[in-house]
Amino acid sequence: MTTLPVAIPETDIVLYTDSTPNGQKVSIVLEELGLKYETKHVDISKNVQKEDWYLRINPNGKVPAIVDKTLLCVGQSQERRIFEGGAILLYLTQRYDPNHKLSYPQNSERYWEMVQWLIWMQSSLGPMQGQSNHFYRYAPEKIPYAIDRYQTETKRLYSVLEELAQPGREGPWLVGNKCTIADLACFSWVNWAEWAGVDVKPFKLISDWLQRINQRPAVQKGLNVPRPFEMKEKMKTKVGVSSLASPTPSHSVRAIEATVHTCGSTNALSVITGGRKRVCREVQSLG
């Protein structure tokens, strides 16, 4: 007996985002599911994510976030705001992926495996590579210990993905035989590896996985939201790298904010202005 696909309603979603790994994973999933959405560019280089109007959408002042205004039935709408990338991906697939294009049936074994890898990305891969980005690209002081610590941990996490992709598994994806939100969430960070100063080439299986995902038309569309994704091309030249990481005041603001987030407000000043030994102690205390 053939099961007919379930029709998806025409959506009315507003995506608040910028050209970051966290933002791109949401725009990619929106494109993969073929959902109608409007993009609002939240320019983090100008600290727009900290403005009052946006904090009413995401009190944490980070991108991305969505507001779903899709009609529940004729003439009836229930506006719903969702922030945090992992929560957004779970929401979108639960509500708009009844045919399980990017997910698995709820409460199935594969569903929970998918959720585990999604949360792994949120709690391990994203934060560790994000700190690698910060200390390698944006920190006011270059701290070799911090750079090495976070690049090494990022590589270790890549090795976990590499082990997951070993031959003998059911398919070339993280969970089962299809690309899911777990793949796309992890991809959004691994695709920025060079920006964190990490070489993905030694991880052959992950390199192949990265290439397969990059070849998907919906992924290419999602990467170019809200602006064209130029990092990889610019990274090929010194001039391009310089244009991406120029020491502007906005980058300094972001660096200080990231330091406060990492070490807490009481330790932030010592990290930004303190001596190298003090800095290493503060960073090492992160565990």
Side-chain angles (χ1 to χ4, degrees):
M1 181 176 173
T2 303
T3 303
L4 295 175
V6 179
I8 300 170
E10 182 172 314
T11 51
D12 183 5
I13 297 170
V14 182
L15 168 64
Y16 298 87
T17 192
D18 203 352
S19 300
T20 68
N22 282 330
Q24 288 174 341
K25 68 172 176 271
V26 175
S27 52
I28 286 171
V29 168
L30 285 164
E31 292 290 345
E32 284 278 356
L33 293 177
L35 303 180
K36 182 181 177 182
Y37 69 100
E38 175 188 0
T39 303
K40 298 286 188 183
H41 182 199
V42 179
D43 193 340
I44 62 175
S45 71
K46 297 177 180 177
N47 236 23
V48 173
Q49 77 278 14
K50 303 300 182 184
E51 294 179 3
D52 287 344
W53 71 268
Y54 185 71
L55 292 174
R56 287 193 289 271
I57 298 169
N58 182 356
N60 195 36
K62 304 288 185 182
V63 294
I66 65 168
V67 174
D68 188 357
K69 300 184 286 186
T70 304
L71 294 176
L72 298 177
C73 58
V74 178
Q76 190 177 32
S77 173
Q78 179 184 332
E79 238 180 58
R80 182 170 289 162
R81 68 177 175 88
I82 308 287
F83 60 87
E84 288 296 329
I88 295 171
L89 299 194
L90 288 171
Y91 172 81
L92 291 174
T93 49
Q94 182 173 331
R95 187 162 184 196
Y96 299 118
D97 189 22
N99 302 306
H100 306 299
K101 178 181 179 183
L102 297 178
S103 61
Y104 289 104
Q106 278 199 327
N107 218 29
S108 66
E109 184 176 345
R110 285 178 178 169
Y111 172 82
W112 286 114
E113 189 176 354
M114 178 190 75
V115 170
Q116 288 176 88
W117 286 108
L118 178 63
I119 302 305
W120 176 84
M121 179 258 114
Q122 292 283 133
S123 62
S124 296
L125 180 58
M128 293 300 101
Q129 189 170 324
Q131 291 302 320
S132 185
N133 286 344
H134 167 68
F135 285 108
Y136 186 64
R137 294 287 175 188
Y138 299 117
E141 178 186 354
K142 293 296 182 187
I143 308 168
Y145 171 83
I147 294 170
D148 180 68
R149 171 183 170 85
Y150 289 110
Q151 287 183 342
T152 298
E153 179 61 6
T154 299
K155 292 172 187 176
R156 186 193 72 80
L157 293 166
Y158 283 13
S159 73
V160 172
L161 289 176
E162 182 80 357
E163 185 66 26
L164 193 65
Q166 290 296 324
R169 290 175 52 83
E170 184 176 359
W173 307 104
L174 300 188
V175 182
N177 58 0
K178 66 183 177 185
C179 180
T180 69
I181 55 174
D183 292 275
L184 298 176
C186 293
F187 162 84
S188 70
W189 279 97
V190 180
N191 199 43
W192 282 75
E194 54 265 56
W195 190 242
V198 176
D199 186 5
V200 78
K201 293 187 186 71
F203 304 95
K204 184 181 182 305
L205 298 176
I206 293 306
S207 296
D208 294 343
W209 168 84
L210 199 65
Q211 185 177 14
R212 281 196 304 277
I213 296 176
N214 259 310
Q215 290 172 345
R216 296 168 74 96
V219 169
Q220 286 304 307
K221 288 182 181 179
L223 285 173
N224 290 306
V225 175
R227 297 179 293 187
F229 181 48
E230 300 175 337
M231 183 273 290
K232 288 186 177 294
E233 280 302 312
K234 288 188 174 183
M235 285 292 293
K236 294 176 181 179
T237 66
K238 290 183 178 179
V239 174
V241 172
S242 177
S243 71
L244 285 169
S246 56
T248 62
S250 60
H251 282 143
S252 297
V253 169
R254 295 215 308 261
I256 292 169
E257 287 179 348
T259 306
V260 171
H261 175 73
T262 301
C263 296
S265 58
T266 58
N267 296 329
L269 187 59
S270 65
V271 174
I272 295 166
T273 62
R276 182 159 299 176
K277 290 182 181 178
R278 174 73 176 276
V279 169
C280 288
R281 284 199 300 272
E282 299 290 358
V283 175
Q284 193 170 25
S285 71
L286 296 176

